[in-house]
Amino acid sequence: LKTLIMDIIRGLSSPNIDIKKKVLDLVMELVSPSSIDEVIAVLKKELTKTQGADVEKSTEFRQMLIQAIHKCVIRFPEIAGTVVH
């Protein structure tokens, strides 16, 4: 499954918040040092998309994305510089 992480993360485009949550949970379990840069890039892109979206629907997803990025930085501290700039 680790080799399919970028295919799995595409599930974040689903309009269903429950699917997005499951996708994030799965991605957090599968992320590895070889895929962390790509995962962070996708999470940051999704976070940017939530800025202009419907406030009610995007707030929960935005919070989930921030928590996922935070978990990634804790597990892989070497990427902290790419997250905060």
Side-chain angles (χ1 to χ4, degrees):
L1 282 177
K2 288 185 180 189
T3 57
L4 299 174
I5 194 166
M6 295 314 292
D7 292 328
I8 294 169
I9 206 166
R10 288 188 202 148
L12 292 178
S13 62
S14 169
N16 187 320
I17 194 74
D18 294 326
I19 292 174
K20 290 179 181 185
K21 181 173 179 14
K22 294 288 184 188
V23 167
L24 279 175
D25 290 344
L26 186 57
V27 167
M28 289 299 101
E29 288 182 32
L30 296 176
V31 70
S32 65
S34 61
S35 64
I36 187 64
D37 290 328
E38 291 175 289
V39 169
I40 287 294
V42 171
L43 294 176
K44 286 171 60 175
K45 186 172 126 184
E46 288 294 323
L47 191 60
T48 303
K49 286 182 190 177
T50 64
Q51 288 178 335
D54 180 22
V55 176
E56 286 183 29
K57 292 181 180 179
S58 66
T59 303
E60 183 180 359
F61 182 48
R62 186 173 176 79
Q63 190 64 34
M64 290 179 353
L65 288 168
I66 291 169
Q67 289 172 353
I69 292 171
H70 182 41
K71 287 177 188 175
C72 287
V73 171
I74 289 171
R75 281 183 58 192
F76 304 97
E78 65 275 6
I79 61 144
T82 64
V83 173
V84 182
H85 56 85

